[in-house]
Structure formats: C-alpha cells, structure tokens
Amino acid sequence: MLLLNPAFFFIVVSLFLGTLESRLTLDYYAKTCPKFSQIIQDTITNKQIASPTTAGATIRLFLHDCLPNGCDASVLVSSTSFNKAERDNEINLSLPGDGFDAIVRAKTALELACPNTVSCADILAVATRDLVTMAGGPYYPVYLGRRDGRVSRSSDVDGNLPKPTMPMSQIIEIFEKRGFSVEEMVALSGAHTIGFSHCNQISNDLYNYSKSSNYDPQYNPRFAQGLQKACTDYEKNPTLSVFNDIMTPNKFDNVYFQNLPKGLGVLKSDRGLFGDPRTKPFVETFAADETKFFKAFASAMQKLSLVGIKTGRKGEIRRRCDQIN
C-alpha cells in the first residue's frame, strides 16, 4: 500500500488551491468594469426593496446552480426545442422568479456599462453575497473571474440536489460528494432563515400523514394546525407558500436553528437536522451562538462559490444569462 507523506500531501493541496485562486481575483473587474460592484448593489437593493423575498430566492438559485455542475450560471439557461435545461428539471420548477429577475436586471445594467465583460456566474455569486449581507447576514469575500458554462442539461441535476423528503444520509452524501462536511452542510441549511416553501412541498406532512396522526408528529401541534390552515387551498393554488422561519422571516439570523428543537421546522429536511445525531450538535451550536453560525455560513458559502468553476476557454461570457452564445 502506498503511503503519502503528509507534508507532501499538504504541498499538493496548497498548490491546487493556489492555482485555483490565481485564476480568480477579488478585483478582477477593477480595470474592465470599475463600477461592477456598485451596479450590482444598486440593482439588487432596488429589487429587494420591491420584493423582500428576493434574498431567499437568490440564495436558493445560487445553491441550485453550484451543486450539480459547479458555479457556472447553467441554472439560468432556458430550455430550447432540442434541449431541456437545468431550470426545467422538476426540482428547479419551484425556484422563485425573483431570483432569476434580480440577475437579469443586474446583467442588463452591466451590459450597458461594460458590454461583453461580466459573466452571469460572477453576477449570481456577488448578488447572493450582497443579498445575504443586506438581510442581516455575514459578509464574505467573493473571488471573481468565473466563466459561464456552455452546457445546461436537466439530466445533470438528478441526484445532485437535496430534496426535502430525502433521508438525512442522502442529503449528507450529496454535500460530501462536493467536499462539504456535515457542519458545513448544516451551516448552509441555515439559509432557510429567510425565504419560503410552497405548500405542495409539505402537503404530505400536513394532511393524512398516518393512521394515528393527521400531520407529522415532529411538528409542534399548534404550528402544524397553523400550516394546515395556511395551506388549505394548495391543490387549487400551487403558488401558496409559507415562510421557512415564522419568527423572523425576512431577517438573516440564527432563529431558524432555535426553531428546530421547538418543532417549528417547515420542511421534513429541516426537522431532520435536529432529529439526526450527526447534525443535531451543529444545530444546537448555531442556535446558541449566532456568531459561530455566521462564521461557519460565510466560510461554507465562499467554498461553495468556488465549486466546479470554469475559467478561460472552458467557458464564455454570455450576452444574455438565459441563452448560451
């Protein structure tokens, strides 16, 4: 059996990360689009003020872009008559329109100021960070210089994104495939401190759950009854939704984690975080200490923003975010 010298392994990993970061820089657009940061911030600020659900929608869009194929804005591409794109995969059909709209608006403004210069992938990464901060969450540096992917296939999404109904082992495995620890996965789940879920995603947990209980007994009873009332017409109205954090729905904080031990997790995967011995200790840590949650979340988001990136000739600068050039 070949044994690698730990020091040698460390050097190899360091060289790899150094090479990755050498392709991306924090000031990538300093000369080619000096107002890059300001234009994105102005655009998404206006969007968030007009539609307060934009922050949660954009964070989810970013996660759904990065996990399957890397952060290459492939989730933004529209389907054509000969290709079903990622955004039309069943799991992505519930992605809120406000996230897509925020990126389109930012891209339009940037194309006027700096034509054919800024990638949609970079816009999505920075807009997500700015919206997290705007909602009260932590700031973290975003390296820039990503290219947009030239491929977007619905089939690439299957099995690469967590579903609320998945067992915790499967959710952990999806993140582990991309190099994320259990702690990082729990921290990223904390994005549910803002945003909402559609009632049709939780209907099986709320109505006729079992012979002994009408709803999932992991729910707080009063909370379950409130959700049942809020979601009564979900079959007639598929857009019906509920906030993921009923206490502070538009504020990025650690209240989401404080809700879980009380049975106030909306999705089955939320409740599973407190019920599984692998994830429960991190839920308790983040519930007790917002600073630790913010630090872990910022670190995990920065790591997520570097997953599977394309640079140079491996990608392109799309003229429109919804179309490959």
Side-chain angles (χ1 to χ4, degrees):
M1 184 173 68
L2 177 65
L3 292 175
L4 281 179
N5 185 308
F8 173 75
F9 179 74
F10 174 76
I11 291 169
V12 170
V13 172
S14 298
L15 284 172
F16 170 75
L17 291 174
T19 303
L20 183 67
E21 290 195 357
S22 70
R23 290 185 251 150
L24 300 185
T25 60
L26 293 172
D27 59 352
Y28 189 83
Y29 298 108
K31 293 181 180 177
T32 56
C33 193
K35 292 186 177 179
F36 163 76
S37 298
Q38 192 60 52
I39 289 171
I40 289 190
Q41 198 158 53
D42 289 348
T43 308
I44 59 136
T45 297
N46 290 335
K47 176 65 181 173
Q48 176 68 8
I49 290 170
S51 305
T53 57
T54 300
T58 307
I59 296 170
R60 190 164 166 231
L61 187 63
F62 180 63
L63 178 76
H64 281 231
D65 181 47
C66 294
L67 274 184
N69 276 324
C71 305
D72 63 354
S74 52
V75 75
L76 303 177
V77 176
S78 295
S79 294
T80 64
S81 56
F82 53 87
N83 178 61
K84 184 179 178 182
E86 289 179 29
R87 70 190 288 175
D88 285 322
N89 186 283
E90 185 181 0
I91 196 172
N92 285 333
L93 293 176
S94 63
L95 289 171
D98 282 330
F100 291 98
D101 187 52
I103 306 309
V104 168
R105 290 183 185 211
K107 177 65 170 174
T108 302
L110 284 162
E111 283 299 305
L112 289 171
C114 327
N116 304 316
T117 303
V118 181
S119 69
C120 301
D122 276 347
I123 295 170
L124 180 54
V126 173
T128 300
R129 188 274 314 280
D130 287 355
L131 284 161
V132 166
T133 308
M134 201 182 302
Y139 178 92
Y140 53 92
V142 175
Y143 285 88
L144 301 167
R146 296 166 191 76
R147 288 287 194 266
D148 297 322
R150 294 192 181 98
V151 176
S152 179
R153 288 186 297 256
S154 171
S155 57
D156 291 341
V157 176
D158 296 330
N160 290 314
L161 282 173
K163 294 181 180 179
T165 54
M166 282 180 176
M168 192 53 60
S169 293
Q170 197 173 350
I171 295 174
I172 290 171
E173 185 183 339
I174 285 172
F175 281 91
E176 280 183 344
K177 275 195 302 185
R178 284 301 190 181
F180 290 91
S181 67
V182 174
E183 181 179 14
E184 288 169 329
M185 183 273 286
V186 176
L188 289 171
S189 299
H192 283 178
T193 181
I194 54 177
F196 58 86
S197 294
H198 288 97
C199 287
N200 56 20
Q201 291 178 288
I202 59 173
S203 58
N204 288 338
D205 297 335
L206 289 177
Y207 307 103
N208 304 314
Y209 181 76
S210 69
K211 290 180 180 178
S212 58
S213 177
N214 196 23
Y215 53 79
D216 185 343
Q218 284 187 312
Y219 277 126
N220 174 296
R222 285 182 62 192
F223 182 52
Q225 290 158 14
L227 291 175
Q228 286 174 333
K229 288 179 183 176
C231 292
T232 300
D233 293 327
Y234 79 93
E235 289 179 307
K236 296 176 186 174
N237 182 2
T239 63
L240 266 185
S241 55
V242 291
F243 287 119
N244 290 325
D245 171 4
I246 58 161
M247 298 302 185
T248 55
N250 292 316
K251 185 182 178 188
F252 198 102
D253 53 25
N254 68 333
V255 173
Y256 162 78
F257 291 108
Q258 295 173 3
N259 289 341
L260 300 185
K262 301 171 187 173
L264 302 179
V266 172
L267 299 170
K268 187 178 283 291
S269 53
D270 294 330
R271 300 189 297 282
L273 289 176
F274 188 69
D276 192 289
R278 292 166 294 183
T279 52
K280 184 178 179 179
F282 301 116
V283 170
E284 292 174 331
T285 297
F286 296 151
D289 192 330
E290 187 173 80
T291 302
K292 284 185 179 177
F293 164 50
F294 276 17
K295 187 176 179 182
F297 182 82
S299 174
M301 284 294 281
Q302 189 176 40
K303 182 174 175 177
L304 179 64
S305 74
L306 298 173
V307 167
I309 56 163
K310 279 90 178 163
T311 57
R313 295 179 182 178
K314 292 181 181 178
E316 63 182 19
I317 305 291
R318 268 183 231 143
R319 287 183 284 275
R320 285 182 49 156
C321 290
D322 63 347
Q323 288 180 4
I324 294 163
N325 292 346

